[in-house]
Amino acid sequence: QAQPVESGGGLVQPGGSLRLSCATSTSTLAYYAIGWFRQAPGKEREGVSCISYPGTHTKYAGSVKGRFTISRDNVGDTAYLEMNNLKPEDTAVYFCAATRNPGSGPCSIGEGRYDFWGQGTQVTVSS
């Protein structure tokens, strides 16, 4: 079982950039699709982006399309979420999740598909 571990969150000014990383403390991310989700205070968790294994398919929520880029390094066994032109409304706890249901093929940003979740990393966009 893959246990995702997120890193890279922090405080950034509007218009700035951050790169989140998702690795695993156990097993491997190989053959897992990876999803990024976020939860802002007082709001439900929402899907942000996903990437299949080995990286053929990606998907983005409309609110981040064109600003966020998801990728994965299968040799380094890490997935990334590059976030550019950050806005205050991007402030949230960001979660990485993994699934093999399916692992390859078109991925989903519906959280019900994901079996293994990280603890989250805080991203705060503020001046």
Side-chain angles (χ1 to χ4, degrees), residues 47-73:
V48 174
S49 183
C50 65
I51 186 167
S52 64
Y53 183 83
T56 309
H57 301 277
T58 60
K59 188 173 185 178
Y60 296 92
S63 58
V64 306
K65 193 173 292 185
R67 300 188 298 123
F68 291 12
T69 302
I70 193 170
S71 62
R72 65 190 301 162
D73 174 358

Side-chain angles (χ1 to χ4, degrees), residues 13-73:
Q13 293 186 343
S17 299
L18 279 176
R19 187 177 76 161
L20 304 182
S21 298
C22 176
T24 178
S25 61
T26 62
S27 185
T28 173
L29 294 179
Y31 306 107
Y32 286 89
I34 302 297
W36 283 99
F37 298 81
R38 67 185 182 186
Q39 187 167 22
K43 294 188 177 181
E44 293 188 353
R45 190 160 56 188
E46 63 173 349
V48 174
S49 183
C50 65
I51 186 167
S52 64
Y53 183 83
T56 309
H57 301 277
T58 60
K59 188 173 185 178
Y60 296 92
S63 58
V64 306
K65 193 173 292 185
R67 300 188 298 123
F68 291 12
T69 302
I70 193 170
S71 62
R72 65 190 301 162
D73 174 358

Side-chain angles (χ1 to χ4, degrees), residues 1-4 32-33 35 96-100 113-118:
Q1 296 181 356
Q3 179 56 55
Y32 286 89
C96 175
T99 182
R100 283 183 172 175
R113 284 286 187 94
Y114 291 83
D115 303 306
F116 307 105
W117 291 80

